[in-house]
């Protein structure tokens, strides 16, 4: 992702309300009449009047620690802080003839929630500032940063307790590092708020760890000091994933502050090791399948980005990943090119030939059979790609790429999301430092990966890659030794966009942003989605809140104030849409 732009300057608080036109009321009712579902809650007009909102008392249930406490005192975090489904055409005509607003018992509540969030958005930003200030880097295995991770988990647990949730902090043991040192793994937070069987139960997954960041590496500001510039909130973790996690907490907290009943039962699973491979998470999910997750109706992940700067999106698929190492070895010591050059098979030359045989100049993978199991493109899918908003010129400029391999929006998106791709990542053992060292590496290792799509099979891909490289290597008649290994294998994930949870999310997006979402996939890999789907066997929804230019993992990572505040509203609207859909399902014959 490209880094954000702009220079530090005065903070701004742009208005975040959006007027709803009467035309949206009509279209929502027509859709309701045709599909027998209630119109979107957002067929409303946001009000501008100021007001004050009361805050309810906060319950303080004790948190539960499961497992040993590796750092006594770590928990002391710094700072505390319906419309009837049977709408008929006649009723619609009568409505259009004389009524000017939709009568829905939930519409006034949503207006109240939105107004509160607008008035308290600076408090939400301040809370994000406090979270960004914690250097919860899980990638660099050093004790100081690991302590910061524990502090981050403690702060989040305290926030959830303040919302009235019961909180369990599940100890995950220790992490053994290659150099022999051992570091404790931060706890995984399991939190629950509400246990009413008549309500839908939504589980939110998020992570509180971040990638490394330093101002000296190209940041325009201190990455751990949230800085607002022209409505953009810059800071490490702002969009990945602290901002979205807080958006969910903001939504829950708003209902409590207004002393309104939370529409759904809500569960949180928050980890602190996502950027380091989600150590111990899969095992916990399997253990809690019949416990914590037993009553869950769906799991929502907000750890992605839109494909646009302006138009929101829903994500229904991610690619998998198979990562390979190919080693070519003559001996363990390097050679002097003046002494040995010209009389032996050089490992680097063999490796370059192997890597060069993997793709052609158009990016097509040359491994025989690799496309055999790729799911065919349907006409419905083609239509979805055509409807996606993507400005190719803007995309090229923000990516700083002169020319892409494909010319049309549809081709680019399909090759990003629903076709496999092969990328070469680097060569280990080669001379890559400044200078002119005349060395022949004695052993080199190439690293490449293949992004997988439905219905590719990991074991089949592994076999195809090994057979191809063995064939190419044999053609060279080299006396060197070659070894190929697949060191990582992650499956692709795909969701059913006709699941009711996706319909609820789509309608919530219309409510808040006044537009249909882009229905998109993500070309990267989010293993936890497949884990949840396979183990818990419940619907997984990806509801991104960040814009395409947020620069996750990059310098100058940011989240727009608009995305953060409207994202909080989106979560609240999603809660209410889940309730409406459940009510409709309950009244259907």
């Amino acid at each position: 992702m490209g880094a954000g732009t702009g220079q530090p300057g005065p903070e701004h608080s742009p208005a975040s309300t959006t007027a709803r036109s009467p035309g949206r009321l009509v279209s929502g009712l027509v859709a309701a009449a045709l599909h027998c579902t209630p119109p979107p809650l957002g067929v409303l007009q946001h009000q501008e009047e100021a007001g004050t909102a009361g805050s309810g008392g906060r319950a303080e249930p004790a948190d539960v620690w499961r497992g040993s406490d590796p750092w006594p005192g770590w928990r002391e975090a710094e700072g505390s802080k319906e419309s009837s489904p049977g709408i008929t055409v006649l009723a619609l005509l009568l409505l259009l003839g004389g009524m000017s607003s939709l009568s829905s018992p939930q519409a006034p509540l949503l207006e109240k929630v939105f107004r509160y969030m607008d008035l308290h958005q600076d408090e939400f930003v301040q809370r994000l500032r406090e979270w960004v200030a914690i250097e919860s880097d899980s990638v660099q295995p050093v004790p100081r940063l690991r302590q910061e991770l524990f502090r981050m988990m403690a702060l989040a647990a305290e926030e959830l307790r303040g919302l009235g949730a019961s909180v369990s902090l599940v100890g995950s043991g220790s992490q053994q590092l290659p150099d022999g040192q051992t570091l404790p793994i931060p706890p995984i937070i399991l939190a629950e708020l509400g246990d009413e069987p008549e309500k839908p139960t939504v589980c939110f997954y998020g992570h509180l760890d971040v990638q490394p960041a330093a101002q000296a590496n190209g940041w325009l500001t201190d990455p751990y000091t949230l800085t607002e510039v022209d409505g953009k909130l810059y800071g490490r973790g702002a969009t990945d994933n602290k901002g979205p996690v807080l958006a969910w907490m903001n939504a829950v907290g708003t209902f409590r502050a207004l002393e309104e009943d939370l529409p759904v039962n809500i569960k949180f699973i928050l980890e602190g090791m996502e950027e380091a491979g989600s150590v111990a998470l899969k095992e916990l999910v399997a253990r809690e399948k019949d416990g914590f997750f037993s009553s869950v109706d769906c799991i929502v992940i907000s750890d992605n980005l839109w494909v646009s700067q302006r138009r929101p999106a829903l994500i229904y698929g991610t690619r998998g990943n198979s990562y390979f190492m190919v080693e070519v070895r003559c001996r363990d010591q390097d050679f002097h090119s003046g002494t040995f050059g010209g009389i032996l098979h050089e490992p680097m030359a063999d490796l370059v030939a192997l890597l060069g045989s993997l793709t052609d100049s158009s990016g097509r993978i040359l491994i025989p059979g690799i496309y055999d199991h790729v799911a065919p493109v349907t006409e419905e899918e083609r239509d979805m790609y055509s409807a996606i908003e993507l400005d190719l010129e803007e995309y090229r400029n923000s990516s700083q790429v002169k020319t892409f391999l494909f010319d049309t929006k549809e081709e680019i998106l399909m090759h990003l999301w629903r076709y496999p791709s092969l990328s070469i990542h680097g060569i280990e053992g080669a001379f890559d430092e400044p200078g002119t060292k005349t060395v022949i590496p004695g052993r080199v290792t190439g690293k490449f990966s293949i992004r997988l799509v439905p219905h590719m099979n990991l074991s089949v891909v592994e076999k195809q890659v090994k057979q191809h490289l063995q064939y190419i290597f044999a053609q060279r008649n080299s006396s060197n030794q070659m070894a190929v290994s697949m060191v990582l294998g992650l499956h692709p994930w795909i969701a059913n966009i006709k699941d009711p949870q996706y319909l609820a999310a789509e309608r919530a997006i219309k409510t808040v942003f006044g537009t249909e979402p882009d229905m998109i996939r993500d070309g990267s890999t989010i293993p936890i989605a497949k884990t949840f789907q396979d183990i818990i066997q419940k619907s997984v929804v990806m509801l991104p809140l960040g814009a395409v230019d947020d620069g996750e993992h990059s310098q100058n990572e940011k989240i727009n104030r608009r995305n953060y505040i409207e994202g909080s509203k989106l979560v609240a609207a999603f809660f209410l849409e889940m309730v409406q859909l459940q009510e409709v399902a309950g009244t259907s014959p």
Side-chain angles (χ1 to χ4, degrees):
M1 300 291 179
T5 58
Q7 299 295 324
E11 293 189 357
H12 299 274
S13 301
S16 57
T17 55
T18 305
R20 306 290 184 248
S21 69
R24 291 198 56 236
L25 171 61
V26 176
S27 63
L29 292 173
V30 170
L34 293 176
H35 297 98
C36 294
T37 56
L41 294 169
V43 186
L44 305 165
Q45 180 153 358
H46 282 189
Q47 301 176 11
E48 297 285 342
E49 68 262 27
T52 58
S55 58
R58 291 187 166 189
E60 295 288 346
D63 63 324
V64 180
W65 177 268
R66 303 180 194 167
S68 60
D69 193 340
W71 265 318
W74 70 272
R75 278 178 258 188
E76 302 200 358
E78 294 184 12
S80 301
K81 316 293 147 205
E82 204 163 300
S83 253
S84 168
I87 295 177
T88 64
V89 175
L90 176 60
L92 175 61
L93 291 173
L94 289 172
L95 179 65
L96 295 179
M99 297 181 66
S100 60
S101 63
L102 176 65
S103 176
S104 168
Q106 293 170 331
L109 172 58
L110 201 59
E111 280 294 304
K112 193 176 177 182
V113 167
F114 287 2
R115 190 181 309 115
Y116 179 92
M117 289 182 174
D118 285 333
L119 292 171
H120 292 265
Q121 59 178 286
D122 287 343
E123 296 172 21
F124 296 160
V125 171
Q126 176 58 30
R127 191 170 296 121
L128 178 58
R129 181 172 287 110
E130 294 167 2
W131 281 32
V132 166
I134 298 178
E135 195 175 348
S136 51
D137 173 358
S138 65
V139 177
Q140 300 182 79
V142 296
R144 180 185 69 83
L145 295 176
R146 195 54 57 92
Q147 288 180 7
E148 286 289 278
L149 270 169
F150 272 74
R151 190 161 70 97
M152 184 69 249
M153 304 309 290
L155 183 59
E158 181 70 17
E159 186 74 26
L160 287 164
R161 287 195 299 271
L163 295 175
S166 61
V167 180
S168 298
L169 298 119
V170 184
S172 304
S174 299
Q175 180 183 18
Q176 188 73 35
L177 302 176
D179 62 1
Q181 72 169 316
T182 299
L183 288 176
I185 298 172
I188 296 171
I189 293 175
L190 300 180
E192 305 179 59
L193 192 65
D195 186 23
E196 301 177 45
E198 69 277 9
K199 291 182 179 181
T201 299
V202 176
C203 180
F204 170 73
Y205 161 83
H207 68 90
L208 302 173
D209 58 320
V210 299
Q211 286 278 323
Q215 189 166 354
N217 293 336
W219 282 74
L220 298 176
T221 59
D222 177 3
Y224 296 104
T225 300
L226 192 72
T227 305
E228 183 164 7
V229 183
D230 297 330
K232 298 177 174 65
L233 303 167
Y234 291 94
R236 178 57 90 214
T239 197
D240 183 23
N241 187 225
K242 293 178 180 180
V245 170
L246 274 172
W248 278 75
M249 293 188 184
N250 294 341
V252 174
T254 296
F255 282 99
R256 285 189 57 80
L258 295 172
E259 299 184 343
E260 296 285 353
D261 185 41
L262 193 62
V264 299
N265 302 316
I266 180 74
K267 297 191 177 192
F268 288 84
I269 174 170
L270 305 176
E271 67 161 320
M273 292 294 286
E274 191 270 349
E275 303 291 3
S278 293
V279 180
L281 182 63
K282 186 174 182 179
E283 293 78 8
L284 180 139
V285 172
R287 285 199 312 271
E288 293 289 343
K289 175 185 176 182
D290 299 320
F292 180 79
F293 296 106
S294 60
S295 61
V296 167
D297 293 303
C298 70
I299 297 161
V300 185
I301 299 172
S302 297
D303 192 21
N304 319 77
L305 301 177
W306 304 344
V307 75
S308 165
Q309 293 184 23
R310 296 168 297 275
R311 187 174 177 181
L314 274 173
I315 294 174
Y316 64 94
T318 61
R319 293 194 289 188
N321 194 11
S322 54
Y323 201 106
F324 291 89
M325 303 278 202
V326 52
E327 180 189 81
V328 180
R329 178 182 180 275
C330 178
R331 70 177 191 182
D332 291 335
Q333 289 178 281
D334 292 341
F335 298 92
H336 190 295
S337 64
T339 305
F340 289 93
I343 64 170
L344 52 75
H345 292 102
E346 297 191 9
M348 182 69 82
D350 284 344
L351 180 60
V352 168
L354 291 170
L355 297 177
S357 74
L358 296 173
T359 63
D360 64 17
S361 60
S362 68
R364 183 171 179 81
I365 303 173
L366 298 177
I367 298 168
I370 201 74
Y371 292 97
D372 288 354
H373 296 98
V374 175
V377 182
T378 65
E379 286 304 314
E380 182 183 13
E381 187 180 353
R382 289 186 189 278
D383 292 341
M384 290 173 65
Y385 283 107
S386 298
I388 291 171
E389 179 182 296
L390 179 66
D391 185 322
L392 288 184
E393 187 65 25
E394 179 183 273
Y395 187 49
R396 273 193 291 266
N397 291 338
S398 64
S399 304
Q400 299 181 30
V401 175
K402 184 177 180 181
T403 306
F404 290 120
L405 293 174
F406 306 96
D407 298 323
T408 68
K409 172 184 69 176
E410 291 78 9
E411 286 179 310
I412 287 174
L413 293 179
M414 282 194 282
H415 282 85
L416 273 176
W417 298 339
R418 63 104 54 230
Y419 290 130
S421 64
L422 189 151
S423 301
I424 298 171
H425 305 298
I427 296 177
E428 187 177 318
F431 173 61
D432 63 348
E433 299 172 3
T436 56
K437 185 178 180 182
T438 56
V439 65
I440 299 173
R443 178 172 62 180
V444 287
T445 302
K447 304 176 183 183
F448 66 94
S449 69
I450 301 175
R451 293 286 178 175
L452 308 177
V453 299
H455 301 289
M456 297 173 76
N457 181 281
L458 274 171
S459 60
V460 172
V461 169
E462 180 180 16
K463 182 178 179 181
Q464 290 169 335
V465 169
K466 289 181 176 180
Q467 287 179 341
H468 171 74
L469 290 176
Q470 287 163 358
Y471 172 79
I472 297 298
F473 190 70
Q475 302 305 302
R476 291 184 61 79
N477 294 314
S478 174
S479 60
N480 294 322
Q481 296 175 310
M482 185 197 72
V484 185
S485 60
M486 187 176 77
V487 297
L488 179 68
L490 300 170
H491 294 276
W493 166 79
I494 195 80
N496 182 2
I497 60 174
K498 293 181 172 57
D499 281 349
Q501 292 82 7
Y502 268 89
L503 178 58
E506 182 180 354
R507 292 157 64 86
I509 286 173
K510 292 178 189 177
T511 294
V512 175
F513 293 97
T515 184
E516 296 274 353
D518 283 328
M519 299 300 296
I520 68 174
R521 297 194 194 186
D522 191 325
S524 62
T525 305
I526 301 180
I528 189 60
K530 184 68 172 171
T531 298
F532 283 138
Q533 192 177 65
D534 289 348
I535 296 178
I536 303 174
Q537 298 182 338
K538 299 290 176 68
S539 177
V540 178
V541 180
M542 288 196 181
L543 185 62
L545 304 184
V548 68
D549 62 343
D550 276 359
E552 57 181 357
H553 289 204
S554 184
Q555 296 91 340
N556 305 311
E557 177 186 346
K558 58 88 177 170
I559 190 169
N560 299 329
R561 177 186 276 256
R562 171 181 180 260
N563 289 67
Y564 179 45
I565 302 304
E566 301 300 296
S568 302
K569 295 178 185 177
L570 175 58
V571 175
F574 176 72
F575 291 163
L576 290 170
E577 291 291 356
M578 285 288 292
V579 172
Q580 275 207 318
L581 286 175
Q582 179 171 282
E583 291 173 352
V584 170
T587 58
S588 299

